[in-house]
Amino acid sequence: MTIQRKFYEKMLNWKKTGGKTALLIEGARRIGKSTLAETFAQNEYDDYILLDFSEEDDSVLENFKHIGNLDRFFQNLFLLKGKTLTPRKSVIIFDEVQLYPRARQAIKKLVKDGRYDYIETGSLISIKKNVKDILIPSEERRIKMYPLDFEEFLNATGNSFAYKTIREAFTKKQPLQEIIHRRMMELFRTYMAVGGMPQAVVAYIEGKSYSEIDSIKQDILDLYENDLRKYDNENREKSSVVFKVIPEQLAKRNAIFKFSLIDKNARYRNFVDAVDFVAESMIGNICVNVTEPDIALELYADRSNFKLYQGDTGLFVTQMMKLENKDNLYKSIIFDKTSTNLGILYENMVAQMLACNGHELYFHEFKFHPENQEQEKKYEIDFLMAKDKRIIPVEVKSSDYRQHKSIDYLKQKHPHIKIRDKYVIYNKNLEVKDGFTYIPIYMAGLL
């Protein structure tokens, strides 16, 4: 089955430019890039040719040696692929383009030629490692693609009406009807357990068991780890280790990434490239501490102090199986049973939703001595954003817990800072009270 993706609209906007650039769809493996590119070609063009560089034979690859003579290049290509394309009404797809950098470098000349449109798909887990000896074409429009978000999950599962209702409630800052809210929480918990990888979502729609869905996700995790080991030669497989220990890191009380959990002698300077590789590959979301709650967040970023979230929460659930009993974990998520792990999942889910919505991820640690306490303590704002020259602190709760001491003390410590909105994300209905907006977690993607 074909799952509708919102990314399709971005592709339509690109097509309106009339071939002035090639479209490079960036993203982690198995998120549906190739499927979407071919579906778009079938729907929006008279014809297309698909070059899958993970499968093409040597004759197709060697033809790129003739890129200096495009008439000959296309003549050979059409002969090899058994079809001829109509100029300006056809598209050529370079699938898994990172595996053959020469094809990516050829984009500059092909776009300038103007006969056809070009769509490239590439897994960032390797695309950054295969560009050392080529000139990156400026004629690429690079757009990031993510796993299915909650809106896409709702559409795929036959609940297409729901997100419009959610968006209207968020915009008006009004709660949903309680029966609708409970249904949205039920669907969201299912989304959190299944995740946004298309294969897992299709398996859920087809009625597969959670054990079968989990096997699909484990295969994807194995693929990621193998790819990290394969392409991260410079870091001696450190990236695969970093990726593998995400559950243990987030399971700690404050979830700050500690290299000592990998090796007691490990240091940030020795692992920084491996961490960046995982984040840049879009299989992990890095959230960096800012030392001051200022609107210029990146200016105060301390990149040695960070959290690393799994890029897809459904995959994170599967990763956590080595820490928890599989059946118990799925039951606690689906049926909303109390579990210490739900807090970890909620935070990972919010990080995923914010990243998918285009936010860089930051948090803020600070020390403060409240008047009613004997000593100074450390507090943390889970996520910190900036908009309209003001900051937006966000706290994440895994229940109906409403306390927000960190945000309260932040304002007391920095009375000069301008705060635009204060959000507490939890599992109850939307409520605006005492300057705080409490939103159910399924609205986090609207921030």
Side-chain angles (χ1 to χ4, degrees):
M1 64 173 294
T2 301
I3 296 178
Q4 292 184 347
R5 302 299 304 270
K6 294 190 292 185
F7 195 89
Y8 199 98
E9 291 298 320
K10 296 181 180 180
M11 298 178 75
L12 286 174
N13 290 334
W14 160 78
K15 186 175 184 293
K16 292 176 182 178
T17 64
K20 293 181 180 179
T21 61
L23 174 64
L24 173 60
I25 306 175
E26 298 181 320
R29 293 187 68 180
R30 298 293 181 88
I31 62 167
K33 302 185 301 295
S34 302
T35 300
L36 186 62
E38 191 162 10
T39 299
F40 187 82
Q42 292 168 348
N43 293 344
E44 307 300 333
Y45 292 89
D46 289 356
D47 205 351
Y48 71 97
I49 285 178
L50 171 66
L51 300 182
D52 184 346
F53 290 108
S54 68
E55 298 181 354
E56 296 298 337
D57 58 33
D58 291 341
S59 58
V60 172
L61 303 183
E62 290 173 1
N63 188 42
F64 279 87
K65 295 178 181 179
H66 304 299
I67 203 68
N69 184 342
L70 288 178
D71 289 336
R72 183 179 178 187
F73 172 80
F74 287 121
Q75 186 180 48
N76 292 343
L77 180 64
F78 296 156
L79 180 63
L80 290 167
K81 303 305 291 186
K83 65 163 61 176
T84 301
L85 299 180
T86 303
R88 297 310 321 143
K89 294 184 179 180
S90 307
V91 63
I92 299 177
I93 301 172
F94 287 179
D95 196 22
E96 301 291 355
V97 71
Q98 79 280 358
L99 300 178
Y100 195 62
R102 176 177 282 181
R104 189 179 178 199
Q105 183 171 264
I107 284 295
K108 181 178 182 67
K109 193 171 184 67
L110 292 169
V111 168
K112 185 177 180 180
D113 172 69
R115 289 180 229 191
Y116 311 104
D117 285 354
Y118 297 90
I119 298 174
E120 304 167 272
T121 74
S123 166
L124 290 184
I125 208 167
S126 56
I127 201 169
K128 294 180 180 294
K129 306 300 289 185
N130 289 343
V131 296
K132 293 180 179 179
D133 301 321
I134 71 168
L135 179 66
I136 302 299
S138 58
E139 292 77 9
E140 281 180 345
R141 177 181 293 185
R142 301 166 62 178
I143 307 179
K144 292 182 178 181
M145 182 176 171
Y146 295 87
L148 273 74
D149 64 16
F150 185 46
E151 181 179 6
E152 291 171 318
F153 181 81
L154 289 174
N155 293 339
T157 54
N159 297 283
S160 56
F161 71 92
Y163 210 76
K164 180 180 179 181
T165 303
I166 292 172
R167 184 180 286 108
E168 288 178 352
F170 177 82
T171 301
K172 296 177 180 179
K173 294 295 185 286
Q174 295 178 349
L176 295 170
Q177 292 183 27
E178 192 59 31
I179 190 171
I180 297 177
H181 163 71
R182 288 197 298 269
R183 175 58 177 160
M184 292 304 102
M185 283 301 305
E186 178 185 342
L187 289 167
F188 186 83
R189 289 194 301 270
T190 302
Y191 166 63
M192 191 162 57
V194 173
M197 306 306 286
Q199 285 177 281
V201 175
V202 169
Y204 169 75
I205 294 170
E206 292 176 346
K208 299 291 196 304
S209 67
Y210 280 102
S211 179
E212 292 173 294
I213 295 170
D214 198 70
S215 294
I216 291 171
K217 293 189 290 177
Q218 185 58 60
D219 288 343
I220 296 173
L221 288 169
D222 292 342
L223 177 70
Y224 285 176
E225 289 182 18
N226 289 335
D227 276 357
L228 287 169
R229 285 191 291 268
K230 181 178 180 180
Y231 292 105
D232 193 27
N233 297 326
E234 295 177 5
N235 291 305
R236 299 179 182 178
E237 300 189 359
K238 290 179 181 176
S239 293
S240 62
V241 176
V242 167
F243 181 71
K244 194 180 296 185
V245 300
I246 287 177
E248 289 95 329
Q249 298 285 350
L250 294 179
K252 304 192 314 299
R253 184 175 180 181
N254 65 357
I256 304 297
F257 199 96
K258 299 294 184 184
F259 292 102
S260 58
L261 289 184
I262 298 176
D263 188 303
K264 64 180 181 179
N265 297 316
R267 296 292 183 270
Y268 171 74
R269 64 179 180 272
N270 298 325
F271 276 82
V272 58
D273 290 339
V275 172
D276 287 345
F277 192 78
V278 171
E280 290 173 355
S281 299
M282 294 177 66
I283 61 175
N285 291 317
I286 191 167
C287 184
V288 179
N289 179 53
V290 290
T291 56
E292 290 292 330
D294 188 272
I295 57 171
L297 295 170
E298 183 58 32
L299 195 63
Y300 296 95
D302 175 11
R303 295 198 166 273
S304 66
N305 186 4
F306 66 94
K307 301 179 185 181
L308 185 61
Y309 297 102
Q310 166 61 256
D312 177 76
T313 304
L315 293 182
F316 182 47
V317 169
T318 299
Q319 269 190 316
M320 287 177 63
M321 295 310 173
K322 56 186 174 182
L323 302 179
E324 289 286 332
N325 177 276
K326 179 184 296 188
D327 291 338
N328 287 343
L329 183 56
Y330 272 105
K331 288 176 184 176
S332 66
I333 298 170
I334 301 297
F335 299 107
D336 194 24
K337 301 298 181 182
T338 301
S339 169
T340 55
N341 288 302
L342 290 187
I344 305 171
L345 291 173
Y346 267 45
E347 198 169 319
N348 195 92
M349 190 76 254
V350 172
Q352 177 183 340
M353 296 167 86
L354 294 178
C356 185
N357 210 20
H359 293 287
E360 295 291 330
L361 302 182
Y362 301 98
F363 72 98
H364 177 55
E365 282 188 320
F366 64 97
K367 291 183 178 179
F368 184 70
H369 190 173
E371 293 181 358
N372 60 344
Q373 295 185 14
E374 295 182 358
Q375 58 185 6
E376 183 180 63
K377 290 186 177 181
K378 183 180 287 187
Y379 297 90
E380 179 185 304
I381 306 297
D382 293 326
F383 297 100
L384 200 62
M385 301 181 290
K387 190 174 183 180
D388 300 332
K389 297 182 179 181
R390 297 185 178 189
I391 66 168
I392 302 173
V394 178
E395 287 201 30
V396 181
K397 311 294 182 183
S398 61
S399 63
D400 59 352
Y401 195 61
R402 290 169 180 263
Q403 284 194 344
H404 34 71
K405 290 182 179 179
S406 293
I407 298 179
D408 294 337
Y409 295 153
L410 177 72
K411 185 62 178 175
Q412 290 182 38
K413 182 170 184 175
H414 302 279
H416 64 283
I417 63 173
K418 295 180 179 180
I419 296 179
R420 184 181 186 273
D421 299 290
K422 296 177 287 187
Y423 287 101
V424 175
I425 298 174
Y426 68 157
N427 64 12
K428 294 296 182 181
N429 214 334
L430 188 149
E431 182 179 3
V432 179
K433 185 177 181 181
D434 299 330
F436 281 82
T437 303
Y438 302 86
I439 62 171
I441 188 170
Y442 52 77
M443 290 185 180
L446 294 169
L447 292 178

